[in-house]
Amino acid sequence: MILQTICFITTWLFIDHHVTRHGPIPGARTLNKAHSCVYSALSAILLGLITLSPDDDETARTLYHLSKFWEYIDILTVRAGGGSIDLHFGFHHLTTPYLTFFRVLRDSEGWRTFAALNTAHHALMYAYFGGAGFVRPVLDLTACVQLVIGIAAEGYVLWFRGTNEVRVQPHVFSAALLTSYFFLWAREMRTRRVARGQVDSKAKDS
């Protein structure tokens, strides 16, 4: 896990340095759009595997974990295309493999609910990034719902079953990460509202 993080960050820094000095890499934005379309389809397939194949638990858990490494491509192609990586975007994609490693692969009790909501959200979100603009109105709702339910589920386990029944460490780790995602997401939403308000204000003044 640490080695793959080092490789990812090294690649990210290399691309960032190149873009800073030479500008966006040609074709990166097209690649990002194609990646979004593919990942949206893969997320939909993974959602079906998680929800409709309860007996194939190990395969579903492994593929769900591996899908978080696929999301690294999103960071790299966005930056290669000249886009900026904000705190929420970067922290989320950097840490989700650790979330799934400890909470899905190592300790999988109750993993399906959040994973299903998460893959459903990603199927819609990456469809939007791939060009399906009609799904945009529901993305804020699906992002919020998956995080709130995920945090609540971990809180439920810790409150009612956090004794000798389950190991509390993976649930504490998961709850902490999901809570940080929620606050970073809320911060991003607030920043966007402020930016839209400033644009609207300038439009009225002109």
Side-chain angles (χ1 to χ4, degrees):
M1 290 294 294
I2 294 175
L3 178 61
Q4 58 83 20
T5 299
I6 293 173
C7 291
F8 168 58
I9 292 177
T10 301
T11 306
W12 183 357
L13 291 175
F14 174 80
I15 292 174
D16 179 74
H17 176 73
H18 178 88
V19 171
T20 300
R21 294 193 61 183
H22 305 289
I25 298 174
R29 293 180 181 177
T30 300
L31 178 60
N32 179 258
K33 191 170 184 177
H35 160 262
S36 295
C37 294
V38 171
Y39 192 55
S40 173
L42 291 177
S43 295
I45 294 171
L46 186 55
L47 173 62
L49 181 62
I50 291 171
T51 57
L52 301 177
S53 303
D55 295 331
D56 203 7
D57 188 76
E58 185 175 354
T59 298
R61 288 190 292 118
T62 301
L63 290 176
Y64 180 62
H65 171 63
L66 293 177
S67 73
K68 300 308 171 187
F69 295 105
W70 184 276
E71 292 180 19
Y72 283 174
I73 300 173
D74 198 26
I75 291 279
L76 301 180
T77 54
V78 166
R79 187 66 194 113
S84 60
I85 309 298
D86 62 22
L87 181 60
H88 176 222
F89 187 23
F91 179 75
H92 174 270
H93 278 25
L94 181 64
T95 56
T96 47
Y98 290 90
L99 174 65
T100 55
F101 179 77
F102 288 107
R103 185 60 184 86
V104 176
L105 289 186
R106 300 285 296 274
D107 193 310
S108 60
E109 181 176 350
W111 74 280
R112 287 181 182 269
T113 300
F114 175 75
L117 292 170
N118 182 243
T119 50
H121 172 65
H122 279 80
L124 294 172
M125 182 176 70
Y126 282 95
Y128 169 71
F129 292 149
F134 65 91
V135 303
R136 180 64 186 88
V138 304
L139 293 182
D140 290 346
L141 176 63
T142 57
C144 181
V145 166
Q146 60 151 354
L147 292 174
V148 169
I149 291 180
I151 295 168
E154 300 297 357
Y156 174 85
V157 172
L158 290 170
W159 185 263
F160 291 101
R161 303 187 61 190
T163 58
N164 294 329
E165 294 185 55
V166 296
R167 294 191 306 126
V168 299
Q169 293 89 344
H171 299 281
V172 171
F173 179 72
S174 177
L177 267 186
L178 292 176
T179 301
S180 68
Y181 297 160
F182 179 82
F183 282 107
L184 289 173
W185 170 80
R187 175 179 175 270
E188 180 183 332
M189 294 301 101
R190 184 171 61 252
T191 301
R192 288 182 181 179
R193 285 196 297 270
V194 170
R196 284 197 298 267
Q198 291 174 345
V199 171
D200 292 341
S201 178
K202 289 181 179 179
K204 289 179 181 179
D205 293 340
S206 62

